[in-house]
Each structure stands twice: as C-alpha cells, then as structure tokens.
Amino acid sequence: MSEDATEMQDLYRELILDHARQPRNFKRLADATHSAEGINPLCGDKLHLYLVVDQDKITEISFQGSGCAISMASASLLTETVAERSVADAVACVTTVTRRLTTGKEEASATFDLGKLRALDGVTQYPSRVKCATLAWHALRAALNQAGAPATTE
Amino acid sequence: MNTANAWRADFPALSQEINGQPLTYLDSAASAQQPQAVIDAVARYQREDHANVHRGVHTLSHRATDLYEGARDKLAKFINAGSRSELVLTSGTTESINLVAQSYCRPLLQLGDQVLITWLEHHSNIVPWQLVCEQTGAELIVAPINDDGDVLLDELFDLMGERVRMLAIGHVSNALGTVNPLDKIIQQAREKGIPVLVDGAQGVPHMPVDVAALDCDFYAFSGHKMFGPTGTGVLWGREALLEQMPPYKGGGDMILEVSFDNTVFNELPYKFEAGTPNISGTIGLGAAVDYLQNIGMQRIHEHESALHSYMVEKLSAVDGIRRVGQATSQASVQSFMLDDIHPHDLGTILDHQGVAIRTGHHCAMPVMQSFGLPGTARASLGLYNQPEDVDRLVAALEKAKQIFA
Ligand SMILES: Cc1ncc(COP(=O)(O)O)c(C=O)c1O
C-alpha cells in the first residue's frame, strides 16, 4: 500500500468505518430524561442524543442523526463509552476526550482510560475535521447541563 | 481532448504540491486563483503608487486615482455598460445585492408587494431580500426547480404577478452549474414591467457578459471569482434607476457638500461609494479584466465547455457516482455524491491526494433541501484547468472508494 493511503487509513481506521457503517445504539429513546441536539453548520452534521439518567447514573443512552463517518463513529463510540457511568464520570470523559481531540494531548491526571476512543486520534492531523469528532461530546455536555439551545461546534 | 493549457503557467499558486501531490484545483467557484499579472499590479501599486484616491493634489494621489478609475473603465467596457457612471465598485456580489435591496427596494416596497427569486439562489441572493421583506411587509416568493436543476419556467412566469417589484435571479448556479435562460426570463419580466437583478458571480468568470444585450436592470459580481483580489466587486445598474436611488452608506467621497442641515450627494457612481475604497484590490481587478480580455471570454467559454463535458463523461463512468444537477445547460460546476460516502469524508480524502474540491451546502441550503441532501461534493472549473485535473479527480475518487469499500 502506498504511503499516502496508509496515512489516510490512520484517519479512517477500521474501527471508525465499522462504527460509521453500523452505529451502535442508533435509535430514539421515548422515555429519555435528558437529550440534546448537536449541529455542525460547516458540513451539515446533525445528531440528537437521548439519555435516561436514574439516580445520577446514565442507565441508557442512544443517538440518531446524519453526518460524516467521523461524526457518526464518534457518537457511536460515545454511547458505548458513557453508558452505565455516573454523570460526574461522563462529564470527566467529555473533558478528557475533547481535550485529546483538540490538542492531541492526554492529561496525566485523567482518571478515565480513552481505550477504543484512541481510534479517533487521526483527526488531530486534520483541523477541519476535529469539529466532526467533538460534535457528539459537545451535545453530551449540553444534555447533561440540560441546556435548551442546540450544541454547535461554532 | 487537447491537453495543453498555456494559461495555467500564468497562475503561480497552481504549480505547488499539496500533501506531496501536484495541486489539482477544482474549487474556482468558491474563489479563483490569481494570475501573476494581478499579483504584480497589486504589488506595484503598493510599492510605488499608494495614496488615497479622489482627495489629493499630490502626484501619488493622482496616480492612485488614475489606476483606480482606470479599473472602473475597464470593468464598464468588459460588461458593455452604457457608461462608467453605471459601474458602482463594491466589496463583492453580496454587497452589490444588499445595496439594491436596501437602496432600490426598501423605499419602494409596500405591504403585500412581492420579491421573486428561485430555489437555485445562493444565500447572498436570498437573505438580503428576506431582510427587506421583513422591513417593509413585502413577501418573498420562490420559483421551483426540477430534479435536473432547471428552473421551471412556466411556474416562474406564473409567479410574475402584478405585485412583484423585483426579480432576482442567478446567471449560473454555484451549487448545480445551471445556466439560466436569462434571455427568455428577462424578456418575460420586461413585458410585465418587473425590474431584474442578475447575480452574476458565477457568470462573469466563465462566459462573455453583455449587460446591454441581456437587458437586465442590475448585474452583480465579485472580483475574487474572476481571478481578481477578494473584497472587490461590481454593481452595474441602469443609470435611470441608480439616479433615483438614495445613498446606501454615508461617509466621505459620496458627498459634494456637507453642512449640518444639508448634505449634497455626489454624482453617480460615487454616491454609492462612501469611505476609502479597496484601492489595491480594485486595481488588481482591473488587471484581471485585462488578462481575461487578452485571452478572450469566448475562447475561455469554449475551453471550459469542452472540459465540463469531459468532466461529466468521466464522472458518469465512475461506478457509484450520482450527478446532482444535470441541467439543460451547465457551466463550470458539477455537484455529485459517491456511493454513500459523506461529502465531507470525500473532501478530506481528495485533499490528501492534492485534489481541492468544495463539500457541503455551498451556501445554497434550499437547493440541497430540494434534493433531500445535507450537502454534496462539488468540482468547479476555471480557465486554467485541463483534462489531467479531471483524470486526477477521478483517480482520487476511486481511492476513496477503496478506503470505504
Ligand atoms: C452565485 C453566487 N452568488 C453570490 C455569491 C457571493 O459572492 P461574495 O461572497 O463574493 O460576495 C457567490 C459566492 O459564493 C455565488 O456563487
């Protein structure tokens, strides 16, 4: 394989393509206690997160929407990552992940292991794509704050 | 197809590599590259002739004024304006259209009047009309398009009712490449006494434009899409209409005499040009006009038409391509989707191979809505493109398919 194809595959890793093709937890939750919309006006990515929070724990989470492979995969991975976590834990995840995606750095003090989310690391090389990867995470923060206005990347 | 393009070498930006690959620039509809002649004209002015225009008795101010006003003359001739006073220099198409909306339409529109546009328009030819409609209680009405991206002429003509005070329509659609049959459309509007503004942002760079032959009332275009600097543009308007319009901005240069109880406005076109203008950019735009006229717009049009047909043929042969926009007549632009790959992903993968295209809604969200798409990938041609650019585009698309296979 040529070098440039390899580099492209660093962005579009198998795990990302898999989640983009078959997003996990892709549905609406009729009994959601929290929800938020995320919009990336630049490319038209749009998603809706649904959460059921019970006694400070995220017992269910799902999303729906449309967008590029990066935004869909990131949202899908998000639902896998924060399910069953406490609200405080989930907020900590948002901080760690968005920092990682925007700066490429990982906090030494982070209590949370990025695990599979490292598959998104490729975006740090593509400034125009960072917003695609962070969209779902901004929406999660908005949902947990229960802010009324849609989260946007702008 | 003849592969040599002698003009390409005039554009220094095109000889660079991007991500280790030769740059294949297919985004001229967003902004065109500039030839050396434009870059030099701007640099020479900055180095030797810079001063403010219209206000000094010293040599540099004279030189700057001559160069700036010289550019106006060139532009007036380029589009066959009746006189130089019909040629208002603006910051671009957007400002030109806002000027007409605020200065021509706003004083005229009454509750229940209508402004007519089409579904094809760029946001620049939608939002200024929405604003003036909100300000006056007028109604914005929109003529539909079909699945090929052609405006439905019968419906457009039907919408040209008694209350329509303005028809604002694009020359060429930036999202789909549709070339509107302006002759027929303007003739109908004339018969019904409706003034016509043409958004020529995507017309002027690609074909000869003659505002007298078109018989429209206003024609707006941008410098940076016709190989000139950003922040420059033109509003051409019929003198009789411009005369009756109040100034749009207030400031220096647009007045003859100011006192606190009365201000006498300057004559056309200066009445609309308040403040120190984009002198260097406009001089560069004058150089772009010289450059285009040396080649000849008809020649450019023929070159691009042949290349557009080649692009359509090559793209159509790619398995999984859906051409978005297949209008009867197209110029420069082709929008498309490839399999179910999101346009944004496509844009990144192509950029990685040195191929620059635009992805997204192209500031034409209603067009995208009418196709039920969040956006498309769009390749657009300029005079410097050659068949090899199309071949590289197609090769890059094949690679994208491999990655997403
Ligand atoms: C058809 C059309 N109209 C208007 C505009 C606005 O031009 P500008 O941004 O130069 O004012 C554009 C540019 O994108 C365009 O393509």
Side-chain angles (χ1 to χ4, degrees), chain B residues 33-45:
Chain B
Q33 298 299 335
Q34 295 173 22
Q36 190 64 48
V38 169
I39 297 166
D40 287 347
V42 173
R44 193 180 323 115
Y45 163 77

Side-chain angles (χ1 to χ4, degrees), chain A residues 69-125:
Chain A
I70 306 292
S71 65
M72 289 295 105
S74 183
S76 171
L77 286 163
L78 174 148
T79 61
E80 285 193 336
T81 307
V82 302
E84 302 293 327
R85 283 184 192 267
S86 71
V87 168
D89 256 12
V91 171
C93 290
V94 172
T95 307
T96 309
V97 173
T98 50
R99 191 158 303 164
R100 171 81 174 182
L101 293 173
T102 48
T103 65
K105 296 208 176 73
E106 201 165 332
E107 285 163 278
S109 63
T111 48
F112 149 75
D113 176 19
L114 286 159
K116 273 190 196 177
L117 293 169
R118 291 209 171 80
L120 289 166
D121 281 357
V123 300
T124 55
Q125 301 308 310

Side-chain angles (χ1 to χ4, degrees), chain A residues 14-149:
Chain A
E14 207 33 66
L15 184 76
I16 302 289
L17 292 175
D18 175 46
H19 275 261
R21 282 193 198 104
Q22 292 165 42
R24 317 298 196 267
N25 305 307
F26 192 81
K27 61 183 178 212
R28 219 185 95 113
L29 288 181
D31 55 349
T33 55
H34 293 58
S35 72
E37 206 180 13
I39 298 171
N40 180 349
L42 179 69
C43 48
D45 294 341
K46 210 177 202 175
L47 56 85
H48 209 115
L49 273 186
Y50 303 94
L51 289 82
V52 177
V53 177
D54 185 16
Q55 301 196 344
D56 218 36
K57 187 171 162 193
I58 299 171
T59 55
E60 270 194 275
I61 178 162
S62 72
F63 83 105
Q64 275 192 322
S66 65
C68 64
I70 306 292
S71 65
M72 289 295 105
S74 183
S76 171
L77 286 163
L78 174 148
T79 61
E80 285 193 336
T81 307
V82 302
E84 302 293 327
R85 283 184 192 267
S86 71
V87 168
D89 256 12
V91 171
C93 290
V94 172
T95 307
T96 309
V97 173
T98 50
R99 191 158 303 164
R100 171 81 174 182
L101 293 173
T102 48
T103 65
K105 296 208 176 73
E106 201 165 332
E107 285 163 278
S109 63
T111 48
F112 149 75
D113 176 19
L114 286 159
K116 273 190 196 177
L117 293 169
R118 291 209 171 80
L120 289 166
D121 281 357
V123 300
T124 55
Q125 301 308 310
Y126 298 86
S128 66
R129 305 307 301 276
V130 170
K131 287 175 176 178
C132 309
T134 55
L135 181 64
W137 300 87
H138 287 303
L140 176 59
R141 182 180 280 138
L144 293 174
N145 289 339
Q146 211 47 299

Side-chain angles (χ1 to χ4, degrees), chain A residues 4 7-8 12 17 21 41 43 67-69 126 129, chain B residues 21 342 344-345 348-349 352-353 361 399 403-405:
Chain A
D4 58 291
E7 253 182 65
M8 263 289 92
Y12 294 105
L17 292 175
R21 282 193 198 104
C43 48
C68 64
Y126 298 86
R129 305 307 301 276
Chain B
Q21 308 271 352
H342 192 279
H344 211 181
D345 294 315
T348 298
I349 296 172
H352 203 74
Q353 299 169 74
H361 55 62
K399 259 208 184 133
I403 291 173
F404 273 80

Side-chain angles (χ1 to χ4, degrees), chain B residues 197-214:
Chain B
L197 173 138
V198 177
D199 169 357
Q202 303 290 350
V204 169
H206 306 294
M207 58 194 67
V209 170
D210 178 333
V211 292
L214 272 177

Side-chain angles (χ1 to χ4, degrees), chain B residues 7-315:
Chain B
W7 309 318
R8 189 182 181 85
D10 299 333
F11 295 80
L14 295 178
S15 61
Q16 65 186 301
E17 292 198 338
I18 300 289
N19 295 318
Q21 308 271 352
L23 168 61
T24 300
Y25 193 73
L26 294 169
D27 196 22
S28 298
S31 201
Q33 298 299 335
Q34 295 173 22
Q36 190 64 48
V38 169
I39 297 166
D40 287 347
V42 173
R44 193 180 323 115
Y45 163 77
Q46 307 280 29
R47 207 167 47 228
E48 298 168 14
D49 307 316
H50 171 69
N52 212 329
V53 290
H54 306 142
R55 13 190 118 162
V57 292
H58 60 76
T59 305
L60 289 189
S61 180
H62 279 306
R63 273 199 227 147
T65 305
D66 285 350
L67 287 165
Y68 180 77
E69 290 302 327
R72 188 192 311 274
D73 290 328
K74 289 172 189 176
L75 284 156
K77 241 169 121 185
F78 185 55
I79 59 165
N80 196 26
S83 87
R84 68 192 314 281
S85 37
E86 296 183 332
L87 210 293
V88 182
L89 293 165
T90 67
S91 65
T93 308
T94 303
E95 192 193 9
S96 299
I97 296 174
N98 277 281
L99 195 165
V100 175
Q102 289 302 314
S103 173
Y104 177 77
C105 284
R106 192 171 177 181
L108 176 115
L109 289 175
Q110 308 270 328
L111 189 71
D113 282 346
Q114 294 172 322
V115 173
L116 174 57
I117 61 172
T118 82
W119 268 83
L120 274 183
E121 304 314 315
H122 186 280
H123 295 166
S124 288
N125 200 25
I126 301 175
V127 183
W129 307 113
Q130 279 174 332
L131 291 174
V132 75
C133 284
E134 263 169 38
Q135 288 157 346
T136 57
E139 180 193 9
L140 187 65
I141 54 174
V142 188
I145 57 177
N146 65 19
D147 290 345
D148 290 338
D150 279 310
V151 174
L152 294 170
L153 289 186
D154 287 341
E155 318 234 357
L156 175 67
F157 297 159
D158 283 347
L159 286 171
M160 291 182 185
E162 296 226 311
R163 299 300 303 261
V164 177
R165 298 286 173 257
M166 173 63 75
L167 165 65
I169 185 165
H171 194 161
V172 176
S173 154
N174 70 306
L176 304 180
T178 310
V179 183
N180 280 319
L182 288 182
D183 288 353
K184 272 191 220 162
I185 293 170
I186 294 171
Q187 191 196 341
Q188 276 289 318
R190 277 254 103 49
E191 280 170 21
K192 299 185 170 165
I194 300 169
V196 182
L197 173 138
V198 177
D199 169 357
Q202 303 290 350
V204 169
H206 306 294
M207 58 194 67
V209 170
D210 178 333
V211 292
L214 272 177
D215 201 25
C216 55
D217 298 279
F218 298 101
Y219 194 98
F221 57 103
S222 295
H224 70 104
K225 296 190 198 281
M226 55 179 288
F227 318 100
T230 53
T232 64
V234 169
L235 172 68
W236 170 83
R238 278 182 201 281
E239 192 159 341
L241 296 181
L242 292 176
E243 281 292 359
Q244 81 187 49
M245 289 157 58
Y248 155 71
K249 302 184 288 192
D253 249 7
M254 51 79 73
I255 43 80
L256 282 180
E257 201 181 325
V258 176
S259 68
F260 287 115
D261 40 39
N262 191 26
T263 293
V264 182
F265 300 127
N266 204 338
E267 60 195 17
L268 285 178
Y270 307 107
K271 174 169 89 172
F272 295 110
E273 297 180 7
T276 300
N278 184 347
I279 306 170
S280 65
T282 302
I283 290 168
L285 181 54
V289 169
D290 287 340
Y291 179 82
L292 290 171
Q293 283 191 314
N294 268 334
I295 299 174
M297 289 312 297
Q298 188 53 35
R299 245 175 109 195
I300 291 169
H301 182 55
E302 283 161 20
H303 163 74
E304 280 189 27
S305 300
L307 195 54
H308 192 275
S309 304
Y310 181 74
M311 176 163 75
V312 167
E313 179 196 319
K314 286 284 168 179
L315 281 177

